[in-house]
Structure formats: C-alpha cells, structure tokens
C-alpha cells in the first residue's frame, strides 16, 4: 500500500466526460489499496476567462479581488470530481485551500506556500476517504484567498505530497511525459524516461510549461518523487496491473540517471521583452541608477548587455524583462532617463529566449559553440546571451522560434528516429 498524490491539469478535466475518465484513474489506484489525495485544476480555458474578466472590470484591479475571482475555477472541478467519484462508489470529499488550510504568504497572484497542516488529510486518508483538493489556491496571512501564479496546481500537488509524506506525486497531463522539447512544436521531440531535478528546474524556469517552476523546486527540497504522465491513457489499460510499470517521466536525483546526455533538452520562452537605452552617458553609477529603480518596482531583469560606443563617452544598454511587465518597466525607465543623458529608449516585445539545458555541460566544452554555429547556419541573429553551469540562453527574433528550436534539437542529436 502506498500514499499517492494524483494531480490533473485543465485539459484533463475539461468536461464531464474527461472528469469521469479522471475518476476512473483515481478509482483504479484506490482499488489497488492505495491512499489517494487528488489535486485538480480548473476546467481548460476557465482561468483565462476569469483573468480576462478581472482585466475588463478594471485593468488596475485590486490583487486581492483578482484572487477571489480566479480561484473559483478550481472550486467547480473539486465538486464535480467528488460527485463523480461518489457515483462510482468511491468515498470522496472535496477540499478548498482554506479548509485544509494551505497557508501562503500575502503576495496575491503569485503567493508562495508557507505551511500545510497535513494532519486532518492524513486522518481522512487513513479512513479510506479520497481527498479531492483544489489546486492553485491558498489562504494568506490576513485570511484572504490567495493564488499561486499560473500553472500553480502543480505546486499545490507537490506541497501536499510533502505535507502528507506521500510516496509519489503523479502529475497527469495532456502529454505522456517530459520531452526533450515541447512536442507541440517539434514532432521529433523524444520522451525522457528520467530527468534530474536540476535540469527540470531549468527547463521549467526557461519556458517548458509542463511543470510550474516552483513545484520542481519544492520537489527537490522535500525529495518528492515526481512523475509526469498522461491522463489520456485508458484507466484500465493492462500495464497498470504490472507492479514494475513506470509510466511517463520520473523527475529524480542525478545519481539515478544512468545514461546522462550532454544536452537533455531545449526550452523557449516568448514571455520576454527587450528594452534598449541608446547612447546613455557612460560613467560610474549609471547601471545602478537604471537597474535599482527596476528592482525597487519588483521588475525582474534577466539578460543584460552593454556596448561601449565609438566615442567612448556613451553606451548602448540592452536588457530583457517579462513581457507582462513591459508597460511598468517603460514607466520606470522614463522617470530614470529624465535625470541622465540618454538619446532614445527602444522597446521590442517580438523576441524569444531559446535555451539549451544539460547537466553534461559541466564537463563538456563546445556546447555553446555548437549553438552559435547552428543558429548562424540558419541565418538567425543572436541579440543577447546568458549562461549558467548547466544552460545557455540566447535572445532571438520571435519569428524564428520554431526554426531555431528544431535546428538545435537536431544539432544536439535529440531527434527521435
Ligand atoms: P496541465 O493543464 O495538465 O497543467 P500544461 O498545459 O500546463 O498542462 O502543460 C502541458 C503542456 O506543456 C504540453 O501540452 C506541452 O505542450 C507543454 N510542454 C512544453 N515543453 C514541454 C516539454 N519539454 N515536455 C512536455 N511538454 C511540454
Ligand atoms: N487553473 C490555474 C491556471 O490555469 C492553475 C493550474 O492550472 O495549474 O493557471
Ligand atoms: Mg500546467
């Protein structure tokens, strides 16, 4: 007997038929004798619609009320799944974030889980009840509802798995595992049997939406065994009866991976915008005067490059910010440049960050060179570069996203036969 967390995303609970399919997956695990906590997202498209309504009501809405609205999607699915499970003869009860409670900090819209009291849940599981828990939501310090940021149900699932000491956290989604790159844009993407926490963390933070970044961080810290698998498999498929069956992709320690590739995956993020300050005066303190106010406004600056101009007296400063923050960043920058010499501010939301990720880079040279060569062969201009121990990212024109990802996927030998 094991204790499992099973998480189902939006497309997996998109309508009543799919919810019945999810219920059959849950029932199978219950019949195998396991204790089961289920975490669900809102039905596909629901959260987008809710977000849109808050924007239409007021573009500068109160963040607390945003959370009050967008957290509702998950309430519908926990209720519907519980009803469906009960109809199938499975003892099930729904739980909203505040009922557990899942305590978070007060950062509405992007809250972080502070603490989950798993006692009551474990008690119920011990009595043979399935807990159906609303993902994405929690309770802030002032007892108001918070949400964990888009894709946050993954994080709810991992945090609950840690709190109830689950043996495994299964993330059921609309693909059958983690691939070398997004299988929706590269048909030759290959499913990975295993990926290390560290690589998955980079993949997620660099744009692979299959897991929310924070969920991987939590899994790594709490040693949660995380498995990404398909919710579209028939719940009664014969392989599920086999004891040794390992579905999808296991996110695990580096030591558990036998054949480590130099490059494990390629990610891209269209969530970038580029800002260039043309001919800024070049003197000590200028960078601080630009990036200080951006940091004070909680705007995350990612890539930065600076080119000294011919006359040696001015410089072009280019950097990227999250696309959603571009209007705020422009506001901050316009205030800053009123106090310094700067010829022009240019902004460009039409950029994409493409990244190559692999733990093997620590011990292999030439990975960056292969990336630059491949892009140049395709005539793709690199606008900025950043690196860390296990990844290289470049900023390119968004128009070339698919061409770049496909070319790099082939160049690093990742294509499936
Ligand atoms: P859910 O609604 O189940 O949370 P998401 O849409 O958040 O599902 O995440 C699954 C999607 O992630 C897939 O449909 C796929 O297009 C995308 N994706 C991006 N990169 C990868 C990758 N490397 N491997 C698998 N899926 C990926
Ligand atoms: N429903 C939320 C979203 O769409 C949370 C999630 O699906 O993980 O972002
Ligand atoms: Mg998701």
């Amino acid at each position: 007997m094991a204790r499992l967390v099973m998480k189902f995303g939006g497309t997996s609970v998109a309508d009543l038929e799919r919810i019945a399919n999810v219920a059959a997956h849950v029932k199978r695990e219950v019949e195998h004798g396991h204790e089961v906590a289920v975490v669900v997202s809102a039905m596909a498209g629901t959260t987008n619609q809710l977000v849109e309504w808050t924007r239409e009501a007021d573009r500068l809405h109160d963040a607390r009320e945003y959370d009050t609205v967008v957290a509702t999607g998950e309430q519908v699915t926990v209720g519907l799944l519980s009803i469906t499970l009960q109809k199938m003869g499975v003892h099930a009860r729904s739980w909203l974030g505040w009922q557990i409670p899942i305590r978070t900090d007060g950062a509405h819209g992007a809250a972080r889980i502070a603490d989950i009291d798993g006692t009551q849940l474990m008690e119920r599981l011990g009595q043979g009840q399935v807990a159906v828990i609303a993902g994405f939501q929690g309770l802030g310090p002032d007892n108001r509802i918070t949400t964990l940021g888009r894709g946050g149900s993954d994080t709810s699932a991992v945090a609950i798995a840690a709190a109830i000491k689950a043996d495994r956290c299964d993330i059921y989604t609309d693909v059958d595992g983690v691939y070398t790159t997004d299988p929706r844009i590269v048909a030759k993407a290959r499913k990975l049997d295993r990926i290390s926490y560290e690589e998955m963390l980079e993949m997620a933070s660099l744009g692979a939406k299959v897991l929310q970044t924070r969920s991987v961080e939590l899994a790594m810290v709490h040693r949660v065994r995380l498995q990404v698998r398909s919710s579209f498999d028939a719940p009664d498929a014969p392989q599920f009866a086999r004891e040794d069956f390992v579905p999808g992709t296991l996110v695990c320690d580096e030591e558990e991976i036998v054949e480590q590739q130099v490059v494990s995956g390629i990610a891209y993020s269209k969530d970038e915008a580029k800002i260039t300050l043309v001919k800024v005066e070049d003197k000590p303190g200028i960078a601080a005067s630009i990036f200080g106010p951006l940091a004070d406004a909680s705007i995350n600056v990612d890539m930065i490059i600076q080119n000294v101009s011919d006359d040696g007296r001015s410089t072009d400063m280019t950097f990227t910010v999250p696309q959603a923050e571009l209007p705020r960043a422009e506001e901050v920058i316009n205030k800053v440049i009123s106090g310094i010499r700067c010829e022009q501010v240019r902004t460009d939301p039409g950029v994409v960050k493409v990244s190559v990720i692999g733990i093997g880079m620590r011990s292999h040279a030439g990975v960056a060179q292969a990336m630059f060569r491949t892009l140049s062969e395709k005539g793709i201009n690199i606008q900025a570069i950043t690196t860390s121990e296990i990844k290289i990212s470049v900023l390119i024109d968004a128009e070339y996203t698919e061409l770049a990802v496909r070319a790099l996927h082939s160049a690093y030998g990742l294509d499936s036969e």
Side-chain angles (χ1 to χ4, degrees), residues 250-281:
L250 180 69
V251 187
C252 60
D253 275 323
E254 199 178 326
E255 291 72 37
E256 292 183 61
I257 300 174
V258 188
E259 261 184 81
Q260 187 69 60
Q261 305 290 317
V262 177
V263 168
S264 303
I266 298 173
Y268 65 94
S269 166
K270 292 189 171 169
D271 181 33
E272 311 287 320
K274 186 178 75 167
I275 301 179
T276 303
L277 308 188
V278 183
K279 290 208 169 156
V280 198
E281 58 187 306

Side-chain angles (χ1 to χ4, degrees), residues 4-8 25-26 28-29 36-39 170 172:
L4 307 180
V5 171
M6 304 172 75
K7 180 261 171 178
F8 295 89
H25 278 285
V26 174
R28 178 192 67 236
E29 299 298 354
V36 181
V38 189
V39 174
D170 286 353
Y172 287 79

Side-chain angles (χ1 to χ4, degrees), residues 58-370:
D58 181 6
R59 205 172 61 83
L60 298 173
H61 49 255
D62 183 312
R64 291 175 185 78
E65 302 311 337
Y66 166 93
D67 278 349
T68 306
V69 176
V70 301
T72 59
E74 275 71 11
Q75 178 159 350
V76 175
T77 40
V78 286
L80 290 175
L81 180 57
S82 299
I83 292 172
T84 311
L85 282 165
Q86 288 169 1
K87 190 170 80 173
M88 289 176 166
V90 178
H91 191 33
R93 183 61 64 211
S94 67
W95 295 84
L96 297 176
W98 65 266
Q99 291 170 310
I100 295 179
I102 297 174
R103 284 276 168 198
T104 72
D105 64 13
H108 285 274
R112 284 167 77 97
I113 295 177
D115 178 56
I116 300 178
D117 183 355
T119 324
Q120 216 189 153
L121 283 179
M122 287 191 282
E123 231 174 76
R124 299 289 189 107
L125 298 182
Q127 294 161 7
Q129 195 178 78
V130 171
V132 183
I133 302 162
F136 186 49
Q137 52 175 259
L139 193 63
D142 53 358
N143 283 346
R144 302 211 67 90
I145 294 185
T146 53
T147 62
L148 311 180
R150 298 305 305 270
S153 297
D154 297 329
T155 301
S156 311
V158 173
I160 285 163
I164 65 170
K165 304 178 184 65
D167 297 286
R168 228 173 56 212
C169 179
D170 286 353
I171 306 285
Y172 287 79
T173 183
D174 55 7
V175 281
D176 60 353
V178 177
Y179 279 70
T180 44
T181 192
D182 189 346
R184 292 195 202 286
I185 73 156
V186 180
K188 289 181 176 168
R190 244 185 322 117
K191 184 168 83 69
L192 299 163
D193 291 332
R194 291 174 179 228
I195 184 166
S196 67
Y197 290 116
E198 275 182 79
E199 285 168 312
M200 192 63 240
L201 194 58
E202 291 282 12
M203 290 267 275
S205 71
L206 295 168
K209 295 224 163 71
V210 62
L211 287 173
Q212 198 198 32
T213 308
R214 181 78 184 129
S215 73
V216 187
E217 241 167 48
L218 280 182
M220 193 163 146
V221 171
H222 297 285
R223 306 326 271 177
V224 173
R225 278 186 94 73
L226 193 59
Q227 220 155 267
V228 178
R229 54 191 293 185
S230 172
S231 70
F232 297 136
D233 290 337
D236 56 356
Q239 70 264 25
F240 292 121
R242 289 198 345 243
E243 280 286 315
D244 60 342
F245 174 61
V246 183
T249 303
L250 180 69
V251 187
C252 60
D253 275 323
E254 199 178 326
E255 291 72 37
E256 292 183 61
I257 300 174
V258 188
E259 261 184 81
Q260 187 69 60
Q261 305 290 317
V262 177
V263 168
S264 303
I266 298 173
Y268 65 94
S269 166
K270 292 189 171 169
D271 181 33
E272 311 287 320
K274 186 178 75 167
I275 301 179
T276 303
L277 308 188
V278 183
K279 290 208 169 156
V280 198
E281 58 187 306
D282 195 11
K283 62 172 194 192
I286 281 292
S289 70
I290 294 167
F291 297 118
L294 286 168
D296 292 342
S298 303
I299 296 170
N300 229 342
V301 173
D302 181 18
M303 304 170 123
I304 302 175
I305 46 170
Q306 187 180 349
N307 298 321
V308 177
S309 70
D310 297 341
D311 60 13
R313 285 173 47 236
S314 58
T315 173
D316 287 353
M317 186 97 78
T318 298
F319 55 92
T320 59
V321 296
Q323 198 157 111
E325 301 286 13
L326 184 57
R328 280 206 314 127
E330 275 185 278
E331 219 173 281
V332 172
I333 290 299
N334 285 333
K335 264 191 217 139
V336 169
I337 62 164
S338 63
I340 56 176
R341 186 159 48 77
C342 170
E343 200 173 280
Q344 198 191 357
V345 180
R346 287 197 207 124
T347 59
D348 182 4
V351 287
V352 65
K353 183 169 67 177
V354 176
S355 309
V356 169
I357 298 124
I359 275 187
M361 276 184 217
R362 284 187 192 137
S363 48
H364 283 77
V367 178
Q369 177 54 23

